[in-house]
Amino acid sequence: MNRPSIGDYFSAKRGVCRMEENTDDLRRGRIKRPVIDAFDRRILAALATDSSKSYARLGEAVGLSAPAVHERVRRLRQSGAIKGVHAALDGAALGKPLLAFVHVEAAGWGKSERLMQVLRFPEVEEMHSVAGDASVLFKVRTESPQALEAFLAQIHAVPGVTGTRSYIALSTYLERPVQAGVTETWPDTPPQA
């Protein structure tokens, strides 16, 4: 049997075959994320503050014409940088003043089909797979401690869940969506008191 060269691909099941096919464009189905420039970041920041602004008002705020802003917003939507436009709802005004973060400890990775079923409850605002001593983190907003207890009972009924730790927010000082800006240079020293 000939030894494979660098251009060959060896598989015990298929034997040796030549890799002569050009694979440079194999991932062409993927959407390439555009480079987000300073104008894009200003547009995104303005939209995050008030998404009801017209393209003309956005243009005035960022120093571009309305058609230029419209084209940039269209491109940002296509790229996935803008996932949607949403109303910011107030939990307390909707009768759900209790905000809690629930860390779920589970055997194995933790995320399971049964655990994903709790996403049907409107009290669940976020679910994250996390590193550390918990495997899943939920952000939930409920009407009362009893409603949180009922939610926790749903979590504990899932096979593989070994425990939870809940952190109830007493006050919220900042709650915001993803921000368009990035910190280019972090300060050498933390803020002074």
Side-chain angles (χ1 to χ4, degrees):
M1 179 169 144
N2 292 339
R3 298 184 68 142
S5 67
I6 292 174
D8 292 333
Y9 172 74
F10 180 79
S11 169
K13 292 183 181 177
R14 294 185 290 189
V16 177
C17 62
R18 302 294 293 173
M19 287 292 288
E20 296 171 2
E21 183 180 346
N22 183 354
T23 60
D24 291 340
D25 62 346
L26 212 78
R27 294 185 178 190
R28 79 180 133 208
R30 274 189 164 173
I31 296 174
K32 291 184 180 176
R33 300 233 183 251
V35 174
I36 296 178
D37 65 15
F39 282 113
D40 291 335
R41 290 196 186 281
R42 288 198 296 259
I43 291 168
L44 291 168
L47 285 172
T49 302
D50 180 5
S51 63
S52 66
K53 286 183 182 175
S54 68
Y55 292 123
R57 296 227 10 237
L58 281 171
E60 290 170 10
V62 302
L64 292 173
S65 69
V69 170
H70 181 266
E71 178 57 30
R72 284 176 177 263
V73 168
R74 184 195 63 75
R75 183 178 46 79
L76 290 165
R77 284 180 195 259
Q78 263 186 338
S79 74
I82 298 175
K83 296 193 312 186
V85 179
H86 313 281
L89 306 179
D90 183 83
L94 294 173
K96 297 191 287 186
L98 188 104
L99 173 61
F101 297 90
V102 179
H103 294 220
V104 178
E105 299 161 6
W109 189 248
K111 181 186 151 214
S112 67
E113 225 175 282
R114 285 278 309 274
L115 192 58
M116 297 294 285
Q117 289 178 12
V118 300
L119 298 181
R120 73 181 185 270
F121 299 116
E123 288 78 11
V124 178
E125 293 185 358
E126 298 176 14
M127 177 185 181
H128 305 275
S129 174
V130 295
D133 56 355
S135 51
V136 175
L137 171 67
F138 286 102
K139 177 183 177 185
V140 297
R141 202 175 296 266
T142 65
E143 62 185 341
S144 65
Q146 293 76 24
L148 178 60
E149 184 178 20
F151 173 76
L152 292 172
Q154 294 292 317
I155 297 290
H156 281 277
V158 174
V161 169
T162 58
T164 61
R165 276 180 285 129
S166 300
Y167 300 90
I168 296 174
L170 301 175
S171 297
T172 300
Y173 301 109
L174 176 66
E175 187 173 49
R176 63 183 177 192
V178 175
Q179 299 296 291
V182 294
T183 303
E184 297 292 332
T185 306
W186 292 93
D188 290 333
T189 57
Q192 300 297 317

